[in-house]
Amino acid sequence: MSPSIPEKQWAQVFEKSGGPIDYKEIPVPKPGPDEVLVNIKFSGVCHTDLHFLSPGLTSERRAAGGHEGAGVVVARGELVTDVEIGDHAGIKWLNGSCLACDFCQQMDEPLCPKALLSGYTVDGTFQEYAIGKAAHVARIPKDVELSEVAPILCAGITVYKGLKESGAKPGQLVAIVGAGGGLGSIACQYAKAMGLRVIAIDAGDEKKEMTTKLGAEAFIDFSKSSDVVKDVQAATGDGLGPHAVLLVAVNEKPFQQATQVSTRLLTGPLTADILEKYVRPHGTVVAIGLPANAFLKAPVFETVLRCVTIKGSYVGNRKDTTEAIDFFRRGLIKAPIKIVGMSQLQKVYNLMHEGKIAGRYVVDTSK
């Protein structure tokens, strides 16, 4: 027997560029032939959602934001045969793709030119009922707590894919820049679960305590350090720097420090006397965080001679999703979360603006 589905629901809607968001009632959508309707119970709050409130970044269409939604399937289209009513499912940033283009055929679905993006080009998960393409919804085991798995649907998948892209091997060192934030706190755990050794880089005693509990071998407080680069290199034992650097920070300064070294303390987010890199020769810098209007800068000469790779990493594919959720299901990942009602979302964004969030916020769509 199919569950009762209401006509109206509460949602947080991005009405216009620059915000604010609007908590309002909207119609409950109906799934298309290849889609499922998921009763979203919890949705993680990602910094990307905050970016979309910035002037010029919000989609032209009004959209319910959010892309880390975990819930229960309550309806499906007539072409859907591999997802059942009552299954637990997650709606991710990648809501759907064509499944036929060159990228989709190579398991690079996030790069599909026809990709549907939750909370941006299609309605996302800051609503009680959300639509997802059946081929792309995450399959969540029923023994997994929905509130805790919600951040894995973006943050977890994203950092797991980034660590895979780094090429770091078990026993090697990875520096995680922004380790105490929503992405970083989860990245620390995936790195440890993958056999990597973690150097956490962030600011504040709360984040130091948290990252240490999550398995980081060293913590570099960039707000107190007079030379972050030297401190990171010293933490590697042989002084050569980490084998990989994962950039999940949301401001530009750490991006410059990860690829280059200054002879003096940086005096601002965009200015430095750049001489050489701190990442280990033949190391890899993976950019994941999205600081607004930021740039990665590195000297060509040293980059070539030191055989350093600098690359970006986007959200994972369907296989990455399955693997990331399995790490979580086996108890290797514990997303540090704080749950608030969906109606309080603007307050969470305010905390993000102020840089006062440790871990990940999750909204309960029923409140």
Side-chain angles (χ1 to χ4, degrees):
M1 182 177 178
S2 297
S4 175
I5 301 171
E7 294 291 323
K8 296 270 192 177
Q9 63 169 333
W10 286 96
Q12 290 279 15
V13 180
F14 295 175
E15 291 280 2
K16 60 181 180 179
S17 179
I21 51 177
D22 190 6
Y23 185 57
K24 60 191 291 188
E25 276 194 307
I26 63 172
V28 173
K30 293 181 174 17
D34 60 345
E35 297 174 334
V36 296
L37 179 66
V38 180
N39 178 200
I40 302 295
K41 301 297 186 182
F42 299 94
S43 181
V45 184
C46 178
H47 208 279
T48 303
D49 296 313
L50 185 60
H51 281 307
F52 292 149
L53 287 177
S54 302
L57 287 180
T58 304
S59 173
E60 292 182 2
R61 67 184 298 278
R62 296 178 180 180
H67 55 267
E68 296 182 348
V72 181
V73 176
V74 294
R76 65 178 187 176
E78 62 268 25
L79 298 181
V80 179
T81 59
D82 60 339
V83 181
E84 301 293 337
I85 304 299
D87 282 356
H88 288 188
I91 292 181
K92 309 169 279 123
W93 168 246
L94 184 63
N95 192 288
S97 70
C98 75
L99 302 178
C101 70
D102 185 58
F103 294 112
C104 285
Q105 290 185 50
Q106 297 183 72
M107 296 183 70
D108 278 330
E109 304 101 311
L111 302 180
C112 174
K114 297 181 180 179
L116 302 175
L117 307 177
S118 298
Y120 191 56
T121 64
V122 297
D123 286 323
T125 58
F126 292 150
Q127 55 181 337
E128 295 175 275
Y129 294 86
I131 293 287
K133 293 291 185 182
H136 279 282
V137 293
R139 276 60 169 175
I140 300 175
K142 289 188 176 181
D143 60 347
V144 169
E145 173 56 47
L146 292 176
S147 63
E148 295 180 0
V149 79
I152 303 302
L153 299 174
C154 176
I157 296 166
T158 298
V159 298
Y160 174 62
K161 177 62 176 289
L163 288 165
K164 289 173 69 175
E165 289 285 327
S166 77
K169 300 176 182 177
Q172 293 184 335
L173 287 155
V174 56
I176 299 176
V177 185
L183 284 172
S185 58
I186 297 175
C188 289
Q189 297 175 78
Y190 273 103
K192 183 177 180 181
M194 295 166 72
L196 304 174
R197 299 165 61 199
V198 175
I199 299 171
I201 305 174
D202 216 310
D205 292 339
E206 182 182 7
K207 294 183 178 182
K208 177 180 180 180
E209 181 181 358
M210 182 178 69
T211 56
T212 300
K213 288 180 179 178
L214 294 178
E217 293 186 10
F219 180 84
I220 310 299
D221 190 326
F222 68 79
S223 68
K224 298 178 181 178
S225 172
S226 60
D227 194 325
V228 172
V229 175
K230 284 186 177 179
D231 288 344
V232 172
Q233 290 176 328
T236 63
D238 58 12
L240 294 176
H243 300 82
V245 179
L246 213 63
L247 294 166
V248 296
V250 293
N251 59 76
E252 185 178 23
K253 182 175 175 179
F255 280 67
Q256 306 307 334
Q257 291 173 326
T259 55
Q260 305 156 351
V261 172
S262 173
T263 55
R264 59 179 171 81
L265 178 64
L266 294 177
T267 57
L270 302 176
T271 60
D273 295 327
I274 305 302
L275 290 181
E276 63 185 64
K277 303 175 180 177
Y278 87 53
V279 68
R280 179 182 294 259
H282 221 294
T284 301
V285 177
V286 182
I288 294 177
L290 298 172
N293 303 312
F295 292 88
L296 272 170
K297 301 173 185 177
V300 173
F301 188 84
E302 288 84 356
T303 300
V304 173
L305 264 63
R306 291 160 56 84
C307 300
V308 170
T309 299
I310 302 172
K311 64 197 301 187
S313 181
Y314 194 29
V315 293
N317 59 31
R318 289 173 290 171
K319 181 62 174 176
D320 297 321
T321 298
T322 300
E323 292 173 355
I325 291 176
D326 188 60
F327 270 101
F328 180 84
R329 184 192 63 79
R330 289 187 285 133
L332 299 174
I333 312 297
K334 299 290 185 184
I337 63 171
K338 297 178 182 177
I339 302 175
V340 298
M342 186 171 65
S343 61
Q344 303 300 305
L345 181 60
Q346 186 61 56
K347 292 182 180 179
V348 178
Y349 284 157
N350 293 341
L351 290 172
M352 281 185 170
H353 270 300
E354 297 166 5
K356 294 182 178 178
I357 289 181
R360 202 79 170 178
Y361 267 82
V362 170
V363 296
D364 181 339
T365 64
S366 70
K367 299 179 180 178

